[in-house]
Amino acid sequence: MTAREELIADAFVQLADTLVAEFDVLDFLHVLVERAVELLDADAGGIMLADQRGGLEVMAASSHEVRLLELFELQNEEGPCLDAFRTGVAVSRPDPEAMRSAWPAFTARIEAAGFASAEAVPMRLRDEVIGALNVFRVAPGALGAADAKLARALADIGTIGLLQERSMRARDRLAEQLQGALNSRVLIEQAKGVLAERSGLEVGQAFTALRDHARRHGMPLAAVADAVVHGRLRLGR
């Protein structure tokens, strides 16, 4: 087995292991994004999921800057994640010219962030599309055939994880988990800001500190964020 094959196997084992213990949706999604960027020929990535009203929300990103880029995509209603979600098929724009023809406003923001290509794969099971996995590349050019298949496989295992049935029907469980995750997302953003202000950490480093503490102590990420926001927990460098 090559080193790359070992990395791929480890990634799928890690994502499958997430389903065994108490299922933390946000941590699962951030692991998925991190592994996608690590394994694919990509420099950044993000995930959007549908909320209970059928709209999309940014749920995970490889960096704070990419999260802002994804929010811009939603606000301007154009970009790869939106197209993949709406059509249910993979979307690829391999260079700035192709991106500008599809997403003029979003492309200007992509280029300002230093990226030259973008693509997204839907997170879907049969006819149900629950979101999209998005990747950006600094260099122009589409993902190769092998990476495109791997991106679809990662999106598939993410979808299966989210739709995993526990003690109730999968759809009801998913709606409950996603709504809870949306509420937790706001709290986590607040905690990142509080921690960054108190400790002098960058926003991205603040999120890492929150998640590392949650994992070390076996706590939900939202619980750590709540403790930081309300002054019950202080984290530093």
Side-chain angles (χ1 to χ4, degrees), residues 181-220:
L182 290 172
N183 296 337
S184 297
R185 181 78 258 171
V186 175
L187 186 62
I188 289 167
E189 291 302 312
Q190 292 174 341
K192 285 161 57 177
V194 169
L195 185 54
E197 182 179 0
R198 288 175 180 169
S199 65
L201 293 171
E202 297 291 337
V203 174
Q205 294 173 326
F207 175 77
T208 299
L210 291 169
R211 193 173 68 172
D212 286 349
H213 185 89
R215 288 180 170 180
R216 282 197 306 271
H217 296 276
M219 298 172 62

Side-chain angles (χ1 to χ4, degrees), residues 122-155:
M123 297 179 67
R124 63 179 296 171
L125 181 64
R126 301 182 184 90
D127 294 330
E128 183 175 10
V129 183
I130 65 169
L133 168 66
N134 189 43
V135 293
F136 300 101
R137 303 178 69 240
V138 171
L143 292 176
D147 272 4
K149 289 181 180 178
L150 181 55
R152 289 196 296 273
L154 289 167

